[in-house]
Amino acid sequence: MGYRPADAIQDLQYFGEYGGVNPSISDSSTYTFLSAKTMFDTFEGNTEGCYLYSRHSSPSNLYLGEALAALEGTETANVTASGMGAITAVILQLCSTGDHLISSRTIYGGTYAFLKNFLCRFGIEVSFVDITNPKAVQEAVQSNTRMIYCESVSNPLLEVADLPTLSKIADEAGVPLVVDNTFSPLSISPAKLGARIVIHSLTKFINGSSDAVAGVVCADKEFCLALKDVNDGAGMLLGSTLDSIRAASILKNMRTLHLRMAKHSYNAHYLAERFEADGLRVVYPGLSSHPGHEAFTKQMRAEYGYGGMLTLDAGSLDKANALMEMMQGENLGYLAVSLGFYKTLFSAPGTSTSSEIPEDEQREMGLSDGLIRFSIGLDQNIERTYHKMKECMEKLGILTPVNAMR
Ligand SMILES: *Cc1c(COP(=O)(O)O)cnc(C)c1O
C-alpha cells in the first residue's frame, strides 16, 4: 500500500498565535463579520476560511478534521461529539423513509440498537448480514438500498471485512460502502480499499487517553459539506458538535498514534500467541487460526500489526467475572468498557457493550457467555503481564497449572 498515513499526519503544520508550536484553540461560539455581505455568503456555505457559528465549524475542529483526513487518506473530514454522533448523522444523511440499508450483523452494540430499534421509527429498513459472506451481502441488495455498512474489524467478535470485495459490491449497486474503522486505525485504511465513507469513534485508540468522547466522518468534500448544510445537513441539524477545546486535546494525542498502535498490537499479539499455546480459546486476527487472518493480512499495513483487541473464552460467565475481578485486583488492567487506553481494559461483551443484542442472536453470532473482550494496554513488559495473567487463570481453574498436569 503506497499511502503512508503516519507521514501525512507528521507533515501537517499548524502554528498558533505568536508562533506557538500548537495551533491556538478557538474559544468562541460565534464570529464577527466586517460586512453584512460576507456574513450572507458564509451562511450560504461558500466562503472559505470564514467562520460563522461553531456548530457549523471552528478552526480547532477543522485542524483535527484535517489530521483525520490525512490518517484515512480522504479529501476531508468532519469531527463530531461522539462516534455515535458520526454514525447516526451519516445514516440519516444517506437514508430516508422507504429506504433500505445493509449492515453487518456483528457491530458495536450502540450502532446495532440504532439500526434495529430506532430506524424503524423513520420507516428505514435494515438487512443484517454475515459480512464475511460476500454472496449474502450481494443478495441483500434491493432497488431501494442506500448504503452498505460494516466495521473493518468488528466489535466484539473481531470479524474481518474484505473491503475491496465489499466495495465492489457497493459500487455495482451504486451505493457507498460505509466503514467504521475504530478498531484498526493506521493498520487498515478503508478509503484506500474502496470505502467511500470512513467513521471512527475517536474516544478509543485515536485519542487513547480515555478522557474524551468524540467521533469523525472522513469522506469527500461533497459529502462532508452536505453533512454541514444549514438547510438539510444531518451533521449540522442533529447538532452533535465537538467542543473546540476537546478537539485541540485529541489532535495533540493523535501525534503518537503510530507508536501506540504498534505497541498495542505487539502486546496483544504476544498474549494471543501465548494463551493459544496454553490451550485457551483466543480470538485474535493475528493468529493463523482466526478465520479473518488472511483477509486482515491482505489489507493491513504490517508495521501497525493486527490491533490491540482480543477475546478469550473463560468457559462461563461466572469464571469470566471472577477472572476480571482478580486481574483488576492484581492491577493488570481495569474492568471497564471502551478501548485504546494505556492500561488493559476488559469486559464481558454479552452483559455490557453488546447487551443490546438479544441473547439468542448473541449465541447465533458466536458471542458466548464466558467471552471476555480485552483491549490490551501499552505495558512495557508484556512478558511479566502474561505470567501474572496466567497465574490468575490457574488459580481459577481456567488454565490447568503445568505442574498439576505432570
Ligand atoms: C465505541 C464505539 C462506537 C461509538 O463511539 P462513541 O464515541 O462511544 O459514541 C462506535 N463504533 C465502535 C466500533 C466503537 O467501539
Side-chain angles (χ1 to χ4, degrees):
M1 227 182 301
Y3 187 68
R4 311 280 304 174
D7 291 348
I9 295 168
Q10 178 82 22
D11 289 347
L12 291 171
Q13 199 181 51
Y14 301 122
F15 294 111
E17 257 184 300
Y18 312 111
V21 293
N22 290 304
S24 306
I25 300 174
S26 39
D27 196 23
S28 297
S29 59
T30 189
Y31 304 81
T32 59
F33 286 80
L34 290 176
S35 82
K37 170 79 171 67
T38 12
M39 180 182 265
F40 178 77
D41 288 345
T42 303
F43 231 102
E44 298 282 290
N46 54 14
T47 313
E48 288 265 328
C50 279
Y51 298 92
L52 175 72
Y53 183 61
S54 290
R55 175 152 48 79
H56 190 253
S57 62
S58 74
S60 296
N61 287 10
L62 288 190
Y63 293 139
L64 178 60
E66 288 317 300
L68 290 156
L71 167 69
E72 289 299 352
T74 57
E75 260 179 16
T76 187
N78 291 355
V79 296
T80 56
S82 68
M84 285 308 295
I87 292 164
T88 53
V90 165
I91 292 169
L92 292 175
Q93 186 72 17
L94 292 171
C95 301
S96 309
T97 302
D99 288 344
H100 167 257
L101 71 90
I102 299 167
S103 169
S104 164
R105 60 182 187 176
T106 58
I107 47 173
Y108 176 67
T111 311
Y112 182 83
F114 180 73
L115 295 179
K116 178 133 181 153
N117 308 329
F118 210 92
L119 283 183
C120 48
R121 295 188 188 185
F122 303 104
I124 299 167
E125 191 198 343
V126 184
S127 298
F128 291 100
V129 297
D130 174 356
I131 206 73
T132 61
N133 179 356
K135 196 156 166 276
V137 179
Q138 185 135 39
E139 281 169 5
V141 175
Q142 304 177 179
S143 59
N144 59 344
T145 302
R146 294 290 170 260
M147 61 185 273
I148 298 176
Y149 183 89
C150 69
E151 295 171 1
S152 32
V153 181
S154 78
N155 184 2
L157 293 171
L158 310 176
E159 280 181 358
V160 180
D162 180 343
L163 298 175
T165 303
L166 292 169
S167 65
K168 208 164 145 249
I169 295 170
D171 279 350
E172 278 164 13
V175 301
L177 174 66
V178 179
V179 178
D180 179 339
N181 197 30
T182 301
F183 275 32
S184 45
L186 291 172
S187 289
I188 296 178
S189 294
K192 295 294 170 194
L193 299 166
R196 291 252 298 279
I197 299 167
V198 184
I199 293 172
H200 281 278
S201 166
L202 305 180
T203 315
K204 315 295 171 55
F205 287 108
I206 291 181
N207 185 50
S209 51
S210 293
D211 57 356
V213 175
V216 69
V217 180
C218 303
D220 59 23
K221 281 191 178 145
E222 192 185 339
F223 186 74
C224 286
L225 274 178
L227 272 177
K228 283 202 271 195
D229 193 290
V230 290
N231 292 307
D232 59 8
M236 183 69 181
L237 299 177
L238 295 174
S240 112
T241 309
L242 181 60
D243 185 75
S244 291
I245 294 175
R246 271 305 178 202
S249 75
I250 295 168
L251 177 65
K252 284 177 272 189
N253 286 348
M254 235 189 108
R255 295 167 181 161
T256 57
L257 181 65
H258 57 304
L259 302 173
R260 290 185 282 113
M261 285 317 296
K263 186 68 173 167
H264 283 300
S265 290
Y266 177 87
N267 284 354
H269 207 148
Y270 183 96
L271 293 179
E273 278 181 346
R274 295 298 179 293
F275 286 136
E276 185 175 60
D278 289 336
L280 283 171
R281 265 173 296 167
V282 185
V283 173
Y284 182 68
L287 298 173
S288 53
S289 60
H290 189 280
H293 179 67
E294 248 176 74
F296 199 123
T297 307
K298 208 172 62 185
Q299 303 178 79
M300 78 191 293
R301 211 168 268 110
E303 61 204 290
Y304 304 111
Y306 293 88
M309 304 300 295
L310 63 85
T311 72
L312 197 152
D313 196 336
S316 70
L317 182 59
D318 286 345
K319 285 208 165 163
N321 289 343
L323 177 59
M324 291 190 292
E325 285 169 15
M326 188 181 274
M327 286 190 300
Q328 178 162 262
E330 295 292 326
N331 199 8
L332 289 165
Y334 299 141
L335 209 180
V337 297
S338 200
L339 40 134
F341 198 37
Y342 81 105
K343 280 268 190 182
T344 293
L345 303 178
F346 33 78
S347 58
T351 53
S352 58
T353 60
S354 298
S355 57
E356 294 89 344
I357 303 171
E359 270 176 49
D360 50 327
E361 287 178 43
Q362 291 194 20
R363 255 193 308 279
E364 198 188 305
M365 45 174 78
L367 254 170
S368 57
D369 276 352
L371 201 73
I372 303 177
R373 184 186 79 173
F374 286 78
S375 163
I376 303 299
L378 298 172
D379 313 30
Q380 174 64 20
N381 186 348
I382 196 65
E383 194 182 343
R384 183 185 73 143
T385 304
Y386 163 68
H387 287 295
K388 284 176 144 185
M389 283 185 173
K390 193 172 166 184
E391 248 170 59
C392 294
M393 291 183 213
E394 288 173 349
K395 273 188 198 150
L396 294 168
I398 295 166
L399 265 179
T400 317
V402 177
N403 293 337
M405 274 163 60
R406 290 211 179 106

